[in-house]
Amino acid sequence: MGIFSQRITVSDLTGKNSIEIDAVVDTGAFYSVLPGYMLRELGVEPIDRVPFRLADNQHVDMEIGHVWITLGDRRRITTVAFGNDIGQLLLGAFTLEGLELAVDPKGQRLVPLGSLPV
């Protein structure tokens, strides 16, 4: 799959603080990952620390928290990881599924899932 970015708005849970960013769509990432400084500036509080495996197979513990993510007309609360301050901004699988979106790898775009299984 080719790499492509998506414009999203990230907000704290109160909705008072937000930022528009371009995040790389990465279905290999479980949670979305944003720089820790950015999340703290938005007022996002860590709720836990969990283990992750990076693309290079390195294991790290990272804080996680909750934010609103808006993509087009879709808005959901999702879990994000507090990444390092110079890392890539990633839009992960957990967030994409929460927004009921799938990746069209050929068209390098996000598409609605349609009817959801129950």
Side-chain angles (χ1 to χ4, degrees):
M1 175 174 94
I3 295 175
F4 66 98
S5 295
Q6 188 66 51
R7 188 79 160 163
I8 60 173
T9 301
V10 180
S11 308
D12 68 341
L13 292 181
T14 68
K16 292 180 183 176
N17 303 304
S18 65
I19 187 169
E20 272 193 52
I21 59 169
D22 291 316
V24 173
V25 174
D26 185 353
T27 57
F30 186 75
Y31 290 131
S32 294
V33 181
L34 302 175
Y37 81 88
M38 182 183 294
L39 293 169
R40 286 183 176 82
E41 284 179 3
L42 287 174
V44 179
E45 297 286 332
I47 60 164
D48 202 356
R49 190 169 193 84
V50 298
F52 288 90
R53 186 181 68 249
L54 303 179
D56 65 2
N57 224 19
Q58 178 184 3
H59 293 265
V60 297
D61 287 343
M62 294 168 47
E63 294 175 318
I64 58 169
H66 292 119
V67 298
W68 283 101
I69 288 199
T70 305
L71 197 158
D73 61 352
R74 296 168 187 265
R75 183 172 187 248
R76 300 287 189 278
I77 293 175
T78 192
T79 303
V80 294
F82 287 65
N84 66 42
D85 290 345
I86 58 171
Q88 214 168 25
L89 289 68
L90 302 177
L91 187 58
F94 185 87
T95 301
L96 292 171
E97 288 193 12
L99 290 166
E100 299 155 18
L101 294 169
V103 175
D104 168 8
K106 190 172 184 174
Q108 293 193 340
R109 63 190 179 113
L110 298 175
V111 295
L113 284 175
S115 297
L116 301 174
V118 290

